[in-house]
Amino acid sequence: MSRDFPDETWDPLVLLEPECYQQILHDRKKNSNLNQEKTELNQSIFLKTDCVNEASGSSYIEIGNAKILCSVYGPREIPRRDDYDFKVANLNCEFRFASFSCFMQRKGTLSQRDQTLDEKNISSIIEEALKPSILLHKYPKSQIDMYILCIQNDIDSKNIICAGVIAASMALANASIELYDLVSSYTYSPINLTVSYMPQLNQVTSIFFSNESNGAFISTDLFKSHIKESIENCRKVYSFMRHILLNSNFYENLKNGLDEDIEKSNIS
């Protein structure tokens, strides 16, 4: 039996008048600024592994307004022999935005060229942050492929790189690929500073700084203090990542416990 499906979907905000749309964006930014301090200190994170059955390892993360799914395939044979590296494995990272991930894409105001450039830049940043953590010399003549899909990226979200690094590191561990350490990451939103860090080795793998939003300059001492603060938050994220890996049924057990409490309350 055949069904007729719509050719494309539209976000409800597209149907609003321009004045209403601008008011909604203004309210979002206003609420974000009012709760900025709370968001920086108490940002909620949802993290789960084993999300894609066909992949060697996978993970899903929600942090702030960013939602990302990562799948890892490999180590596997390199299709072309010209790409062989007899000493280390090849690491490939491919980052993509879903067609419905952000409002500008749903409205059609983001050009394909700008989106492609953003995807390539983010792919290279995540790959650079993760390479130091992988024992690539253990897998010669092979390649490891990471596919990262951004499911949601609202207009006020600055956690894309941070979420991508965490999800990719968790997926690599879930794929049983040998690592020196997990890579945790944290984004200091006011200046869009993202620090990736391996706590067990006390090593920073990547620092990404983009201050295009306000164009202000900061002193060297202030910049260093923000990096130190980000590293401390990376340690907190790292402990949560380890807990999820060691307790793969964490959310299932939590749900079962809540269901039991509800049943007991209903009985009483």
Side-chain angles (χ1 to χ4, degrees):
M1 180 179 178
S2 62
R3 295 184 178 179
D4 295 330
F5 293 97
D7 294 334
E8 54 184 332
T9 58
W10 294 86
D11 187 87
L13 295 181
V14 178
L15 305 178
L16 295 177
E17 295 294 332
E19 294 79 7
C20 297
Y21 164 60
Q22 293 296 333
Q23 183 63 35
I24 290 175
L25 293 184
H26 175 73
D27 293 341
R28 282 185 180 181
K29 292 181 180 179
K30 183 178 179 180
N31 293 333
S32 176
N33 292 333
L34 289 175
N35 299 325
Q36 189 172 28
E37 183 177 358
K38 182 179 179 181
T39 302
E40 289 300 320
L41 297 176
N42 303 311
Q43 196 168 51
S44 59
I45 300 177
F46 176 85
L47 191 57
K48 184 175 174 59
T49 56
D50 288 322
C51 305
V52 181
N53 295 331
E54 294 79 7
S56 303
S58 60
S59 66
Y60 173 77
I61 185 172
E62 294 181 7
I63 175 170
N65 293 317
K67 298 180 181 179
I68 284 180
L69 176 67
C70 178
S71 303
V72 171
Y73 296 86
R76 55 187 178 183
E77 184 181 358
I78 299 177
R80 295 178 297 179
R81 293 184 177 273
D82 296 339
D83 297 335
Y84 269 178
D85 192 332
F86 291 92
K87 294 183 179 180
V88 296
N90 291 341
L91 180 65
N92 301 319
C93 178
E94 182 177 324
F95 181 92
R96 288 287 182 268
F97 287 104
S99 58
F100 50 83
S101 60
C102 72
F103 180 79
M104 294 178 65
Q105 289 170 314
R106 296 193 293 265
K107 194 178 179 185
T109 57
L110 184 66
S111 66
Q112 186 66 31
R113 179 178 179 275
D114 293 339
Q115 178 178 336
T116 303
L117 288 175
D118 287 342
E119 290 173 347
K120 289 183 178 179
N121 291 336
I122 295 175
S123 297
S124 62
I125 293 169
I126 295 176
E127 182 177 333
E128 178 186 354
L130 290 170
K131 258 189 176 180
S133 69
I134 307 173
L135 279 71
L136 294 175
H137 63 277
K138 293 276 190 177
Y139 310 101
K141 302 181 183 180
S142 62
Q143 70 179 21
I144 301 171
D145 298 321
M146 298 185 299
Y147 298 98
I148 305 172
L149 177 65
C150 177
I151 300 174
Q152 178 176 319
N153 174 29
D154 280 352
I155 202 165
D156 56 349
S157 176
K158 298 181 180 179
N159 295 306
I160 292 300
I161 297 176
C162 164
V165 171
I166 295 174
S169 184
M170 291 288 289
L172 288 169
N174 186 240
S176 300
I177 292 175
E178 296 190 49
L179 305 173
Y180 290 107
D181 193 11
L182 290 173
V183 179
S184 62
S185 186
Y186 179 81
T187 297
Y188 185 72
S189 298
I191 60 173
N192 201 10
L193 170 68
T194 301
V195 177
S196 300
Y197 178 71
M198 292 190 293
Q200 294 296 328
L201 301 180
N202 194 24
Q203 178 180 345
V204 175
T205 61
S206 174
I207 296 177
F208 176 75
F209 173 59
S210 175
N211 203 24
E212 298 175 355
S213 57
N214 51 28
F217 294 94
I218 59 175
S219 64
T220 304
D221 294 336
L222 185 60
F223 186 72
K224 289 180 179 179
S225 66
H226 290 327
I227 291 179
K228 290 181 180 179
E229 180 182 350
S230 299
I231 289 175
E232 291 300 320
N233 285 293
C234 281
R235 291 194 175 100
K236 298 177 183 178
V237 174
Y238 176 81
S239 62
F240 180 69
M241 293 168 65
R242 285 194 60 187
H243 179 75
I244 296 299
L245 277 178
L246 296 175
N247 302 275
S248 58
N249 297 325
F250 172 73
Y251 291 106
E252 184 178 351
N253 295 335
L254 178 62
K255 180 179 180 300
N256 293 336
L258 292 174
D259 292 341
E260 291 177 1
D261 292 341
I262 292 173
E263 291 178 359
K264 290 179 182 178
S265 61
N266 292 335
I267 294 173
S268 59

